[in-house]
Amino acid sequence: MKLPIIAALSISALTLSSCGGAKPASTEAIVEVTPEKPRNTALEWSAASSDARFINRQLFDLATQRLASLINTGKRNQAVFIDAPFLLLPQDATFHFFSEMRSPKDGFRPQELFEFARFEFDPVAMEFVRFCHENGIEIVLTSTEMDSRAIIEELMKKNYTVQGSIVDGEPRYGRYSNNITLSEYAQQDRLALLLTTSLGEATALTGMGNPKSVEVDEMYKRFGSKVILFPNPTFNRK
């Protein structure tokens, strides 16, 4: 009679052991971890710092001085090319657009930036535009006429006549464009200044698609008086 009793006790022990080892089902909600958005510390600094606006003003002052020197030589039929989305529009709006609304790598149109800026212009840039207008200097935007239509129309309301550029292929604003209009003006010796935030957008003048550091010094020797490069933190990512 001992064997059936031992067998029954063994089965009971195994049953209790298996029940005790089972893990209860988790009732905790699964929390999805969102990957941290890559930070653009240069853009954050520029959006919050008065130093960035001071540098911008200094460069526009430099452009005005160089243009005044050219005007004093009596040279006529000169034009200034300006990077519309990054220089004509308010810096604060541009910085916040790329930190909050759109990643620069996804591409953009100047029209989008202008709408985000509520159809306003940078006051420092407008001082320079007025100086050009009063001295008979033609203003050409580095963006295409189609992409800059709203900007051109709004400037016309302020009695400033500007035109867009003809660009070969699809422009990548802030990075690269083969600007045919810029090339033609340079060949005709009508280019007074190019105000840009990207050497890639100056390739029609310099002949450099993606200039390397060893070539930049040579470029400034040849084109330094005509090219004023403004800092553009939008594309600096860590």
Side-chain angles (χ1 to χ4, degrees):
M1 295 298 294
K2 290 182 180 180
L3 290 177
I5 294 173
I6 293 171
L9 289 172
S10 299
I11 293 170
S12 298
L14 287 172
T15 303
L16 290 172
S17 175
S18 63
C19 290
K23 295 182 180 179
S26 175
T27 57
E28 295 181 2
I30 298 174
V31 179
E32 294 185 4
V33 179
T34 304
E36 184 180 352
K37 182 181 178 181
R39 292 182 62 190
N40 184 336
T41 53
L43 185 59
E44 291 173 2
W45 176 85
S46 298
S49 173
S50 59
D51 289 346
R53 288 179 284 278
F54 179 73
I55 293 171
N56 184 69
R57 173 171 280 282
Q58 276 191 319
L59 289 172
F60 267 114
D61 287 345
L62 175 63
T64 302
Q65 293 169 12
R66 287 190 179 175
L67 199 54
S69 298
L70 181 66
I71 292 169
N72 290 335
T73 65
K75 202 167 187 178
R76 297 182 178 275
N77 299 321
Q78 295 295 291
V80 170
F81 281 68
I82 302 179
D83 180 343
F86 289 106
L87 298 181
L88 281 186
L89 307 188
Q91 282 195 311
D92 289 345
T94 301
F95 296 153
H96 286 299
F97 178 84
F98 288 110
S99 61
E100 299 171 9
M101 303 293 293
R102 177 73 62 82
S103 171
K105 66 181 181 181
D106 295 333
F108 68 97
R109 297 293 181 191
Q111 173 72 17
E112 296 174 281
L113 271 173
F114 198 37
E115 290 175 357
F116 185 78
R118 298 181 179 180
F119 300 96
E120 294 181 357
F121 294 101
D122 182 81
V124 176
M126 290 308 295
E127 290 177 14
F128 181 75
V129 169
R130 182 167 58 252
F131 180 82
C132 292
H133 176 74
E134 291 173 349
N135 289 279
I137 303 296
E138 186 179 353
I139 298 174
V140 185
L141 307 182
T142 56
S143 46
T144 67
E145 193 126 350
M146 179 178 294
D147 289 340
S148 308
R149 184 171 299 167
I151 295 174
I152 293 171
E153 291 175 353
E154 198 63 28
L155 287 170
M156 287 182 66
K157 293 178 184 178
K158 301 179 184 295
N159 296 320
Y160 298 129
T161 301
V162 302
Q163 69 176 40
S165 291
I166 297 173
V167 176
D168 182 29
E170 185 71 15
R172 289 178 287 170
Y173 295 116
R175 293 185 176 180
Y176 173 83
S177 68
N178 185 14
N179 193 318
I180 296 173
T181 307
L182 174 62
S183 179
E184 290 177 351
Y185 274 64
Q187 291 172 5
Q188 297 167 7
D189 195 23
R190 295 181 57 199
L191 176 63
L193 287 175
L194 167 62
L195 276 56
T196 183
T197 61
S198 169
L199 289 176
E201 289 195 355
T203 186
L205 171 66
T206 65
M208 300 176 182
N210 294 298
K212 301 176 183 177
S213 58
V214 293
E215 299 172 326
V216 170
D217 287 342
E218 180 61 28
M219 189 205 76
Y220 275 113
K221 290 178 184 176
R222 296 172 57 194
F223 308 104
S225 62
K226 291 185 180 293
V227 178
I228 297 182
L229 184 65
F230 286 67
N232 184 353
T234 304
F235 297 98
N236 295 335
R237 284 197 175 275
K238 287 188 175 182

